[in-house]
Amino acid sequence: MGKVFSALAVSVDGYITGRDPGPGRGLGDGGALFDWYFNGDVPSRVFDGFRLSEPSARFFDAVAGRVGACIAGRHTYEDSDRFGDGGSPHPAAPLFVLSHRPAPQMTGRQRLITTGPADAVAAARDAAEGKDIALTGGVLVTEALKAGLVDELILHQVPVLLGAGRPYFHSLPEHVRLRLLEAVPAPGVTHLHYEVVR
């Protein structure tokens, strides 16, 4: 059975977007979080157009190669302009969007789940064919942590203080302990791979 994890770019002060994210504005003024996608000369084997440094390419492609399905929160889905016509944050994986609000007609690899994170994970697990499930969005990750559904957290920590935006993590009812599995320094980013301790 595949693992459930989140791998998001995050500022040192904990934001996964800049100020004023939204439809047509993407992730707001948080573009500095993604400079490392294009600051090297090693093409990604998974994402067309990404040219990463060697350590980032090695780490990023290993993580991206694990993904069999994605789950996105509604804010992330809207901020990302619905990932295009039937698209997903991953080039090959289907997308499950978790939302309690009505959504526009979804097409292609997209499916709406309205009954909570456990049902979203169950649906994604069926589609992932034994591969891992990637979570995208701060509220979604927090709710999945509360429900005990998350196995790993990956922070692509970028050395910038954004000062505002959407946080990676929201209020949790108790501590969540993590065990560091790997730390990979790279130009413009440090990749921090944690296991959630249960």
Side-chain angles (χ1 to χ4, degrees), residues 69-161:
C70 297
I71 304 172
R74 182 61 179 269
H75 286 301
T76 300
Y77 178 70
E78 296 292 348
D79 291 350
S80 302
D81 291 319
R82 302 176 185 161
F83 297 104
D85 186 18
S88 171
H90 188 279
L95 172 64
F96 296 83
V97 178
L98 183 61
S99 177
H100 298 293
R101 295 181 284 135
Q105 181 65 37
M106 294 185 173
T107 60
R109 297 179 286 146
Q110 298 179 350
R111 181 173 161 204
L112 179 67
I113 304 290
T114 60
T115 51
D119 288 342
V121 168
R125 201 177 293 289
D126 286 344
E129 299 179 343
K131 295 184 85 174
D132 293 345
I133 298 161
L135 306 177
T136 302
V139 172
L140 169 65
V141 172
T142 302
E143 291 304 310
L145 282 166
K146 287 179 185 177
L149 298 169
V150 181
D151 299 303
E152 297 176 4
L153 293 170
I154 296 169
L155 284 67
H156 303 293
Q157 191 175 62
V158 177
V160 63
L161 298 171

Side-chain angles (χ1 to χ4, degrees), residues 24-44:
R25 298 184 304 277
L27 299 180
D29 66 355
L33 293 175
F34 307 101
D35 290 345
W36 60 275
Y37 288 173
F38 312 104
N39 70 352
D41 56 7
V42 180
S44 170

Side-chain angles (χ1 to χ4, degrees), residues 171-190:
S171 179
L172 289 164
E174 58 188 23
H175 288 88
V176 175
R177 299 213 177 268
L178 305 175
R179 179 182 299 115
L180 182 65
L181 300 177
E182 187 176 15
V184 178
V189 64
T190 300

